Amino acid sequence: MSSGTTAASSADPHWASIRPAGCWSVKANPPCPCTAERSVSAALPDLLLDLGHSRVKWGWGRHGQLLESGTGACPLTDLAPLAGALATANGRRALLSGQSRIEVVNAVTTLIEGCGLSLQRIESGAPELLVKPAYPSLGCDRWLSLQWPWQQAQQACCVIDCGTAITVDLVDQNGLHRGGWIMAGLGSLQRGLLSLAPGLPPPKAPAGTSLQAATNSAAAITAGILCQLLGGIDRALDQARRTLGSDPQLWLTGGDAELIEAHLDRSLIRDRHLVLRGLALAADAQ
């Protein structure tokens, strides 16, 4: 099981050291320079970017695999960590899954192009991967998050992504995406409640540490919202089991995954990088 989501960010410095070999055997004819250049380009990793509603996450991929070093994340309100990671990066190209506002997409695009990388925006269903989207307008991040779990086990699975929104997506035993559910995430529920009832106290931090009946309003809001989320997830998973006739393998990802996992009484796999892993597979499919 993976460790919790981290917000730390830094590009892996060893990418800057990837260079073509400087010499060949004197007994052999040196390879054609254009062939060597293509070989070095293929060896460079791809920059993978998951642009969500509140954060941008990035990593590096090669041959369909996410390279665990060099992953990072930062809020959309402060892209300086991403700019710092890109300053020492040496990649082949950039692939972007973008769910955010157009002005944020444009700002990230400017950073990428400033590094001299070509940028390709990935859309649901293109390139073709093992799990096809159930409908054309499915969010690209949801579609990408299904690819790695299915590839690993080739069995029915549910992916729960706990971010600004909580999504629960179902893949059956034949690898068909059967659709899913979308709910407001923890922070979204808290902000929505306080915006409509400004007289209420803000929830106590850290959010969701207890589900016990509270003796003050701030703690009651914290526990109540978490109960609401857990109830929605449990109900969706019960419906998934009825649809499939058996319990699917459960995968958990997203910024609030660690918190949700602590209160879900179910066996699951937590992996904070499912969208980036899907992007690595998309890069390899092209």
Side-chain angles (χ1 to χ4, degrees):
M1 188 175 295
S2 302
S3 59
T5 301
T6 60
S9 61
S10 64
D12 190 338
H14 78 266
W15 299 132
S17 67
I18 300 176
R19 296 289 186 273
C23 61
W24 299 279
S25 167
V26 296
K27 294 182 179 180
N29 293 325
C32 169
C34 60
T35 302
E37 182 178 345
R38 284 197 300 270
S39 175
V40 171
S41 176
L44 292 175
D46 293 312
L47 173 62
L48 313 171
L49 295 133
D50 171 20
L51 187 54
H53 297 290
S54 58
R55 297 190 305 158
V56 57
K57 288 78 71 179
W58 64 88
W60 300 87
R62 184 193 289 119
H63 306 316
Q65 298 281 332
L66 175 68
L67 306 175
E68 296 296 339
S69 58
T71 59
C74 65
L76 298 183
T77 54
D78 179 14
L79 297 178
L82 173 59
L86 293 176
T88 57
N90 186 17
R92 184 166 65 125
R93 55 180 175 174
L95 288 87
L96 170 70
S97 166
Q99 314 301 319
S100 193
R101 299 179 297 276
I102 185 61
E103 61 269 20
V104 178
V105 174
N106 290 340
V108 172
T109 299
T110 298
L111 284 177
I112 301 305
E113 292 176 344
C115 296
L117 294 177
S118 62
L119 178 63
Q120 179 179 355
R121 185 165 179 176
I122 301 298
E123 303 289 346
S124 290
E128 187 171 311
L129 298 176
L130 291 178
V131 180
K132 311 299 187 293
Y135 52 95
S137 61
L138 180 73
C140 186
D141 56 340
R142 290 173 62 193
W143 173 64
L144 289 169
S145 72
L146 302 175
Q147 306 304 324
W148 183 258
W150 171 255
Q151 185 193 71
Q152 293 306 291
Q154 299 278 305
Q155 68 181 67
C157 60
C158 254
V159 174
I160 309 162
D161 192 340
C162 306
T164 304
I166 287 186
T167 59
V168 183
D169 280 282
L170 175 62
V171 176
D172 69 17
Q173 61 272 21
N174 298 313
L176 297 178
H177 180 218
R178 302 289 290 272
W181 300 263
I182 302 176
M183 316 168 205
L186 181 65
S188 301
L189 285 173
Q190 292 173 342
R191 290 188 296 271
L193 177 61
L194 295 179
S195 69
L196 294 173
L200 291 174
K204 295 183 68 174
T209 56
S210 174
L211 296 178
Q212 297 297 319
T215 56
N216 64 80
S217 295
I221 292 171
T222 299
I225 287 177
L226 186 57
C227 281
Q228 182 178 349
L229 277 182
L230 293 170
I233 293 171
D234 271 327
R235 189 62 180 266
L237 295 179
D238 287 343
Q239 182 60 50
R241 177 176 50 80
R242 286 192 289 270
T243 298
L244 297 175
S246 62
D247 288 316
Q249 185 182 64
L250 301 183
W251 291 71
L252 193 66
T253 192
D256 288 327
E258 185 174 6
L259 170 64
I260 296 299
E261 180 188 18
H263 296 285
L264 273 181
D265 188 21
R266 296 174 184 265
S267 175
L268 54 83
I269 302 168
R270 177 160 57 90
D271 187 328
R272 66 186 185 274
H273 294 318
L274 286 186
V275 176
L276 293 179
R277 294 191 198 283
L279 275 169
L281 291 170
D284 193 52
Q286 295 180 315

